[in-house]
Amino acid sequence: MSVQSVGPQTGAQAVIADAVDPARRPDVLFRVRRDEDHQLSPWWMIGAFVGVSVAVITLLSFVPGGA
């Protein structure tokens, strides 16, 4: 037998009832729901390191007095 409240909902109950999956919120652009055992490929970290290194070297080439 379930018990149902007859009175109005409290604010907390309304928030829980209207809750949205955080991975599906429209204001979160790059969040993707993945499997629990999903692992990021190490090549992404290697590529990020190379990309940041190239960007730093390129920006440092604009500094006067360099080699």
Side-chain angles (χ1 to χ4, degrees):
M1 179 174 181
S2 65
V3 177
Q4 295 193 359
S5 65
V6 193
Q9 287 186 337
T10 65
Q13 289 170 333
V15 168
I16 292 171
D18 296 335
V20 179
D21 183 5
R24 310 270 185 248
R25 283 184 10 207
D27 61 331
V28 179
L29 296 177
F30 299 113
R31 186 179 300 171
V32 178
R33 174 167 264 184
R34 302 197 192 286
D35 294 333
E36 210 170 296
D37 59 343
H38 177 80
Q39 292 186 0
L40 189 65
S41 172
W43 288 108
W44 284 107
M45 294 298 128
I46 294 169
F49 175 78
V50 170
V52 169
S53 299
V54 167
V56 167
I57 291 170
T58 302
L59 290 172
L60 285 175
S61 69
F62 293 109
V63 174

